[in-house]
Amino acid sequence: MRLHAPLYRVLTDIQGGLGGPARNSQHAPINALQRLLSIQEGTLIKVGVLVAAYALLEGPEAVGLWLQRRWAEYLTLIATSALLPLEIYELTQRLSPLKIFTLIINLAIVVYLLLAKRLFGIRGGAKAEADERQHDTGWSALERNTPTGLVPAPN
């Protein structure tokens, strides 16, 4: 790539301005940036395809959730669950508290979606959710939840 040489020159200048090269530190921001700039084109294409596929999933999901469609709730569950195998694989490669915490949070989100949204017939499924929504909307719900004494009595 034509940008490698100028970018490496800039990195060398930045490294020198920060007190010299950090040869022994694998976690230095400069080393991370160097690794990022040396990614092969094929890898970038694969990452780009995955990001585009995820965006194609998230777009309809966002519209469906906005319109309160049931299929969008299933799509949310799929999008959240899709990353769990990758997180488990990462844990098999190298354990870290952050990776464990992330896996626990994502598992909790999946369980929450299953229970709260009554997906796959859990807790009564779509019918129970529709009944609950019907109970919580409309004038009768407002009348039930309005404290007494705040609404003037009709004359």
Side-chain angles (χ1 to χ4, degrees):
M1 295 180 87
R2 293 184 306 203
L3 294 178
H4 276 201
L7 287 174
Y8 282 125
R9 265 197 312 272
V10 169
L11 285 174
T12 303
D13 291 344
I14 290 173
Q15 224 171 15
L18 294 174
R23 288 186 181 98
N24 296 333
S25 174
Q26 290 297 327
H27 300 291
I30 299 302
N31 289 339
L33 192 54
Q34 284 177 334
R35 282 194 312 270
L36 181 65
L37 293 174
S38 64
I39 293 176
Q40 294 180 355
E41 184 179 349
T43 304
L44 285 176
I45 290 172
K46 290 174 189 171
V47 169
V49 168
L50 287 173
V51 168
Y54 194 69
L56 288 173
L57 175 74
E58 291 297 310
E61 176 189 342
V63 171
L65 289 172
W66 182 276
L67 298 174
Q68 296 182 347
R69 300 292 189 251
R70 182 85 172 153
W71 57 263
E73 294 170 353
Y74 283 98
L75 202 55
T76 302
L77 179 73
I78 291 167
T80 306
S81 302
L83 297 177
L84 290 176
L86 180 61
E87 291 177 19
I88 293 168
Y89 172 77
E90 284 291 322
L91 282 172
T92 64
Q93 299 303 307
R94 185 170 161 258
L95 282 176
S96 77
L98 182 61
K99 289 178 183 179
I100 294 168
F101 180 71
T102 303
L103 178 64
I104 290 169
I105 292 296
N106 281 337
L107 285 172
I109 290 170
V110 167
V111 170
Y112 167 78
L113 287 171
L114 285 170
L115 295 175
K117 295 301 178 178
R118 303 170 189 262
L119 300 177
F120 301 106
I122 295 174
R123 295 183 48 227
K127 181 176 178 350
E129 184 178 5
D131 292 344
E132 183 180 4
R133 187 173 295 174
Q134 181 66 31
H135 181 263
D136 291 342
T137 57
W139 285 111
S140 61
L142 286 173
E143 289 172 351
R144 269 193 318 275
N145 293 309
T146 302
T148 57
L150 293 179
V151 179
N155 293 6

